[in-house]
């Protein structure tokens, strides 16, 4: 759904979670891409308002998860020695507040779901996050059902797709299994095929048949391929699919109260309902609403029975408040309070809505997750290596311009190149790796993301790049941290040579962005510190005859160099810089043209990484 | 391997002073894919190309068609020309074959579309 002028589009307030060190990238991103207003940052979160459409918001690359803001308030503080009952009452009143806050938030949420849904059913090449996740699921099932597809006309297609989603989920089951499957999906989304494959074997059902199936299993019918995160925090059961189809009806229910109770009564468990059809119902009932979501009614309405919104609380409670309540208690107090206030139903296993509650000494923050999968999960990635958010951050630091040639000399499965190529559509990317397995996966990833026209792969060694000198605009690389990759020698030993090659192929003015472990980061800093000393004193063998794009030094020589470089760090250099005439016949000092721009720390999960940025200057 | 990549590849065999351009030999499998035409992208790539190497490579593969010897002036607005360039740069793909260093004769195999530019220790 497009809005023509920003002034017409409503300003929605969101917050996103961000991995450690990613907040600054996210801050920039929301300002640049979403013209965000009232941007503020908390540890691990960025809050902002934007009137840009939700489909664009859900394309944020530096964010982990996206939430609709419900409430951003001063921290809940209890005075000393408050009795438990009073404490609970304060908690309820501070957190729950006014009824209208909730009803209007849920209406906004439903509206946004509708917009996200609208994109999902379109037939496009892979789009980010949730839109495409679903499309991919459907795609896989479609493939398996090849012949059956042809039997049905276009009208039935979307009905079938919604049915498929329900069927897909059946394989995922409830409880912890779903969470495990969810994690597995994040790591390698191929894993899901087996599940969907099983379920896809069910025969195509006409609409009646499908409805029967859903009636058989209430949970099944309610499910949509939407899951929320954060369950672990509250100790509740695993991530569950929700349904936004139903909640739309419920919202009308809540907002219009008695009036709706009679009319809207949509069957909550009827997955076959097109979302927009429900919207039509709402619109008719309430006499208003967004008509642009109306779609041709392909599905016959059914007799309805009203159901309240079902929800679950996902809570994180830290600071002084946690002396009074543990997380589960807070969840319970708020959950019960909310259900009394709004008539909503608590459903721990399969709620329509999840309410995210963050209570600390600094703030009280409530929100509703907007997408099932985190934004950090990319629908266009088949096999991830490095975290997509960090990969994107590295690419954004490199300041890639249209027409640039970007090289990753140790590309692995191609994560950084793919993130960069998605962002910069007029540049071309070259990935190298020495490992066949990695290249194969990189190839799959590139094909999966439909980027084969701009990302090309080579089997090559980072210590001997088959490229002319000064031919590349950007070099990005996640240097292997030493333990994961089965190379004979460690990255540390080869670092000088690797860096020399990277420097060589860069144009003057070109950018180098590296991700290093803390140890490699230290080593690199030392390597570059000693650049100020003369070059020839470094080399034991005769200087080469100054052909810049001649063969690079052999690996054994690089070890000598590395050793010498490290030694020199310990004892101050005694030699003066050689006179220019001698220099002309020698290779310029290794790495001397790399000017350091920034070092940034990012969280990579179990460990931290350091991103280094350099620009190549005149030597 | 697409010819856009080929246009950059250089041999770094020990002692070689001019390992460019690499000759394309034994191209037993060559595909011509359909790739979305992006004129802006092609326009940006052209100034960075070694034009004669591109023409020569396309000819080696029998895919030159009517690609001119020299760059056409004001190509930015010449869609017909850009499409020809687009075709040889991005649509023609060597799946199986090899690249030969013009100076040393050393051959680098192309397998499943990916050229293997690794050298042995003694060649380095």
């Amino acid at each position: 759904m497009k809005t023509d002028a920003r002034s017409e589009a409503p300003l929605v307030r969101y917050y996103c979670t961000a991995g450690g060190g990613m907040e600054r990238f996210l801050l920039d991103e929301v300002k640049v891409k979403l013209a965000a207003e009232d941007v503020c940052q908390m540890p691990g979160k960025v809050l902002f308002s934007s009137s840009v459409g939700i489909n664009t918001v859900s394309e944020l690359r530096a964010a982990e998860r996206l939430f609709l803001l419900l409430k951003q308030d001063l921290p809940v503080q209890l005075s000393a020695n408050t009795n438990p009952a009073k404490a609970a009452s304060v908690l309820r009143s501070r957190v729950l507040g006014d009824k209208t806050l909730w009803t209007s938030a849920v209406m906004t949420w439903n509206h946004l779901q509708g917009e996200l849904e609208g994109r999902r059913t379109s037939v496009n090449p892979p789009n980010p996050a949730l839109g495409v996740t679903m499309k991919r699921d459907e795609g896989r099932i479609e493939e398996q059902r090849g012949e059956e597809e042809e039997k049905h006309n276009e009208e039935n297609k979307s009905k079938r797709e919604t049915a498929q989603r329900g069927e897909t989920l059946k394989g995922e089951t409830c409880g912890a299994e779903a969470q495990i499957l969810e994690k597995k999906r994040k790591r390698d989304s191929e894993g899901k095929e087996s599940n969907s494959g099983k379920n896809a074997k069910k025969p195509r059902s006409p609409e009646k048949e499908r409805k029967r199936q859903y009636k058989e299993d209430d949970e099944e019918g309610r499910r949509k391929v939407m899951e929320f995160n954060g369950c672990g925090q509250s100790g509740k059961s695993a991530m569950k699919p929700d349904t936004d189809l139903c909640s739309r009806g419920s919202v009308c229910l809540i907002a219009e109260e008695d009036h709706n109770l009679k009319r809207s009564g949509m069957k909550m468990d009827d997955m076959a309902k097109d979302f927009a059809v429900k919207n039509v119902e709402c619109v008719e009932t309430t006499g208003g609403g967004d008509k642009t979501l109306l779609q041709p009614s392909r599905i016959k309405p059914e007799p309805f029975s009203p159901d309240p919104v079902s929800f679950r609380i996902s809570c994180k409670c830290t600071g002084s408040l946690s002396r009074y309540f543990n997380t589960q208690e807070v969840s319970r107090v708020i959950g019960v309070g909310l259900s009394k206030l709004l008539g909503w139903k608590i459903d721990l296993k399969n709620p329509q809505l999840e309410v995210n509650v963050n209570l600390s000494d600094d703030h009280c923050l409530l929100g509703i997750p907007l997408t099932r999968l985190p934004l950090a999960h990319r629908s266009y990635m088949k096999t991830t290596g490095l975290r997509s958010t960090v990969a994107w951050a590295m690419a954004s630091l490199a300041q890639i311009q249209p027409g640039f040639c970007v090289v990753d000399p140790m590309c692995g499965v191609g994560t950084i190149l793919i993130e960069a190529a998605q962002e910069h559509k007029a540049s071309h990317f070259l990935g190298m790796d020495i490992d066949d397995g990695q290249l194969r996966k990189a190839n799959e990833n590139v094909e999966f993301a439909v980027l084969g026209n701009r990302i090309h792969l080579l089997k090559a060694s980072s210590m001997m790049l088959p490229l002319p000198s000064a031919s590349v605009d950007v070099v990005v690389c996640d240097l292997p941290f030493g333990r994961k990759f089965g190379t004979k020698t460690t990255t540390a030993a080869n670092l000088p040579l690797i860096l020399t090659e990277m420097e060589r192929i860069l144009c003057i003015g070109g950018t180098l962005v590296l991700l290093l472990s803390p140890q490699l980061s230290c080593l690199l800093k030392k390597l570059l510190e000693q650049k100020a000393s003369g070059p020839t004193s470094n080399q034991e063998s005769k200087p080469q005859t100054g052909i810049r794009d001649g063969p690079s030094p052999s690996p054994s020589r690089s070890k000598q160099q590395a050793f010498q470089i490290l030694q020199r760090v310990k004892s101050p250099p005694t030699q003066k810089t050689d006179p220019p005439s001698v220099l002309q016949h020698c290779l310029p000092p290794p790495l001397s043209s790399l000017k350091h721009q920034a070092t940034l720390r990012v969280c990579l999960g179990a460990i931290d990484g350091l991103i280094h940025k350099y620009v190549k200057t005149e030597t | 391997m697409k010819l856009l990549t080929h246009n950059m590849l250089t041999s770094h065999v020990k002692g070689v002073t001019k390992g460019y351009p690499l000759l394309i030999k034994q191209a037993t499998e060559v595909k011509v894919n359909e790739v979305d035409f992006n004129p802006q992208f092609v326009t940006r790539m052209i100034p960075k190309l070694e034009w004669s190497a591109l023409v020569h490579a396309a000819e080696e593969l029998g895919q030159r068609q009517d690609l001119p010897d020299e760059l056409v002036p004001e190509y930015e607005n010449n869609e017909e020309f850009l499409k020809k360039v687009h075709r040889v740069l991005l649509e023609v793909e060597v799946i199986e074959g090899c690249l030969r260093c013009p100076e040393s004769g050393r051959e680098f195999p192309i397998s499943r579309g990916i050229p293997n530019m690794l050298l042995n220790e003694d060649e380095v």
Side-chain angles (χ1 to χ4, degrees), chain B residues 33-45:
Chain B
N33 310 298
E34 208 178 291
V35 174
D36 284 342
F37 174 56
N38 181 342
Q40 194 205 12
F41 179 68
V42 179
T43 307
R44 298 262 183 199
M45 292 293 108

Side-chain angles (χ1 to χ4, degrees), chain B residues 61-111:
Chain B
L61 293 174
Q63 295 287 343
R64 180 183 172 170
Q65 294 184 349
D66 51 353
L67 204 63
D69 277 328
E70 308 256 317
L71 258 183
V72 162
E74 280 165 44
Y75 53 79
E76 306 88 9
N77 306 312
N78 188 336
E79 188 172 293
E80 204 185 301
F81 176 73
L82 291 178
K83 282 195 172 155
K84 290 182 197 172
V85 180
H86 163 82
R87 189 181 166 278
V88 290
L89 275 185
L90 301 174
E91 293 191 332
V92 175
E93 188 179 3
V94 182
I95 307 293
E96 299 288 327
C98 74
L99 297 168
R100 186 186 296 166
C101 170
E103 201 175 303
S104 67
R106 210 281 199 185
E107 289 189 347
F108 301 94
I110 302 171
S111 168

